[in-house]
Amino acid sequence: MAEHRYNPSMRIDVLTLFPGMFEGPLTESILQRAREQGLLDIRFHDLRQFGLGKYHQVDDAPYGGGAGMVMRPDVLVQAIEEVIAEGLEGQKGKKKMKGPWCIYFSPRGKKLKQAKAERVAKKEWLLLLCGHYEGIDQRVIDGWIDEEMSIGDYVLTGGELPAMVLIDAVARQIPGVLGKDESAEQESFSKALGRKKEYPHYTRPEDFRGMKVPPVLLSGNHKEIECWRQAQVQ
Ligand code: 4G1
């Protein structure tokens, strides 16, 4: 019997100089299962392949001087446009899809929060651009990027880890990616406690090296347990 369940899935194209960095985190556990189930279609594109000349140059010195290198706009836009064209090509015959929502990870972007992850999860196609060196030419951001996003205030070597953080946060919002139990837990969690902090967790054994589980959690009184947890997140 055909189960009556719609099958929303998300396509994510990642443009990066280091596609190998994504291998571990996205091929294990929940994300790998989601990819195998066809809920997540993630493709990596090596920016080096779009580089110029014999050495596939992707960066150049900054106008105005200063340290470091900047990623060239011609290389980046060539890559962006090819990836979009290829994606639209693959859609022929199927449902018409808008172009991707293009995100560039940068310390100048707005900070990623849960509400943002939930909004981004509603898109059906994301293009994630990972910067390196000092970043990318501003004209790419002005002309091709829909959203500049940061994961926090610290110095990183590139946008790959931020991209993985976003993929993880977004993927678990896609219906079917989490198991029934996991998503039920998530729902009751957000209903009862809002999107605040988590409460402390305990599991067996009840007494671990003299450290006891708070008695209220063993009481079986769901009202009181809820009350205790609520108090812990304030
Ligand atoms: C100035 C941090 C530079 C860094 C000030 C969070 C950081 C992308 C992020 C940098 C990056 C601060 C992020 C810095 C990031 C181009 C490639 C920029 C690496 C780059 C606070 C290096 N969230 N950093 N510059 O880290 O991409 O998304």
Side-chain angles (χ1 to χ4, degrees), residues 104-107 131-136 149-159 162:
Y104 170 59
F105 297 97
S106 127
H132 258 268
Y133 317 114
E134 301 306 308
I136 71 176
M149 191 183 283
S150 169
I151 61 160
D153 300 329
Y154 26 73
V155 181
L156 295 175
T157 59

Side-chain angles (χ1 to χ4, degrees), residues 11 13 83-84 87-88 97-101 123-126:
R11 170 166 175 158
D13 286 280
V83 165
I84 292 177
L88 291 173
M97 189 155 70
K98 283 192 297 191
W101 184 253
K123 310 276 181 196
E124 55 180 345
W125 186 7
L126 301 179

